[in-house]
Amino acid sequence: MKKHVVFGAFIIFSCSAFCFEAKTSQEMLLSYIENSTEMKKLLIDAESAQLNLESTKIDNGFDLKLSSGDVQLSFGSDGETVSAKPSITASLPSVLGLDVSGSANLGLKDGEFSATDISVKAGIDIISSAQKEREISLMKAERNFLEAKRKLQNQATTLESQFYNKIISLLTDTNSLLQAQQSLYDDSI
C-alpha cells in the first residue's frame, strides 16, 4: 500500500511537471508579484501619489480664465443689437500671488461698435506666506510620491524573497520524495 501511495505521488508530480506549460522562473516570479493584492494596492497608492504630485505642480503654475460673459442679441424695429461682457483673468501664484484681470461691456448696434465700462485690475501679495506654502505643498507631494515608490519597491523585494523561499521549499520536498522513492525501490530489490 505504501508503495502505491509513493508511486502515485511520483506519477502525479511527474505528470504535473510535463502537462502544464513550461515557464521560466522569471515569468513565474513576475506572475507571483502581479497577482499579489498587496502589490496591487501599493501600485494604486503610488499612481495616486504621482497624480497628486502632478496636480500640485499644476496648482503652482499659470492660470488663465476666459469668459464670454452674458451675450444678448436683440432684434427690433430700431435695428439689431449685440452686447457682451467678456472677461479675462490671469494669475501666476508662484510670483507673489500676481493676479491680473480685465473686463468690458462690448456692444454692436447698427454696425457701430462700442466698448464701455472697461476695467483692468492687478493684484500682488506684498507680504505673503503663499509662496512658502506652495513650496511646502510641492515638497510634501514629492515626498509622498517617493515614499509610495519605495514601499512598492520594498514589497516587490519581499515578494521575490517569498517566491524563492517557496521554490526552495518545493524543491526540498521534491528531493525528499525522490529519496523516499529511491529508498523504497532499493528496499524492494
Side-chain angles (χ1 to χ4, degrees):
M1 176 70 176
K2 190 175 183 183
K3 244 191 212 178
H4 294 294
V5 172
V6 173
F7 183 72
F10 177 75
I11 294 296
I12 291 172
F13 176 75
S14 298
C15 185
S16 66
F18 294 110
C19 294
F20 295 112
E21 181 181 330
K23 293 189 177 208
T24 66
S25 62
Q26 199 66 17
E27 290 172 329
M28 289 189 293
L29 173 62
L30 288 175
S31 177
Y32 183 76
I33 291 173
E34 286 174 357
N35 290 320
S36 166
T37 55
E38 182 65 22
M39 194 68 172
K40 289 177 184 177
K41 179 191 170 298
L42 290 173
L43 184 60
I44 291 170
D45 290 346
E47 289 172 351
S48 175
Q50 182 180 15
L51 290 174
N52 186 32
L53 174 61
E54 291 172 9
S55 173
T56 302
K57 286 180 180 177
I58 290 171
D59 288 344
N60 289 326
F62 180 75
D63 282 338
L64 181 65
K65 295 178 186 171
L66 298 172
S67 172
S68 63
D70 294 328
V71 178
Q72 295 178 350
L73 301 172
S74 301
F75 301 99
S77 60
D78 57 341
E80 297 101 24
T81 304
V82 178
S83 65
K85 187 170 182 168
S87 66
I88 183 170
T89 303
S91 63
L92 191 59
S94 61
V95 181
L96 296 174
L98 178 63
D99 190 23
V100 179
S101 64
S103 66
N105 286 331
L106 305 177
L108 181 63
K109 183 174 183 177
D110 296 327
E112 288 187 35
F113 176 76
S114 65
T116 59
D117 296 332
I118 299 171
S119 69
V120 176
K121 299 176 188 174
I124 191 167
D125 295 337
I126 296 174
I127 299 174
S128 173
S129 62
Q131 176 66 23
K132 295 293 181 194
E133 289 173 7
R134 278 188 282 283
E135 288 175 8
I136 289 170
S137 68
L138 184 60
M139 289 170 39
K140 283 182 179 178
E142 287 173 345
R143 180 181 174 100
N144 288 339
F145 176 59
L146 290 174
E147 286 177 356
K149 272 179 44 177
R150 188 175 307 119
K151 285 179 183 178
L152 188 64
Q153 291 167 342
N154 288 344
Q155 182 65 21
T157 303
T158 300
L159 287 173
E160 183 177 9
S161 176
Q162 288 175 355
F163 174 77
Y164 286 121
N165 285 335
K166 286 182 179 184
I167 293 290
I168 289 170
S169 175
L170 180 64
L171 292 174
T172 302
D173 291 346
T174 303
N175 188 34
S176 296
L177 181 64
L178 291 174
Q179 286 177 354
Q181 182 187 10
Q182 183 65 36
S183 174
L184 184 64
Y185 179 74
D186 290 343
D187 289 346
S188 66
I189 295 181

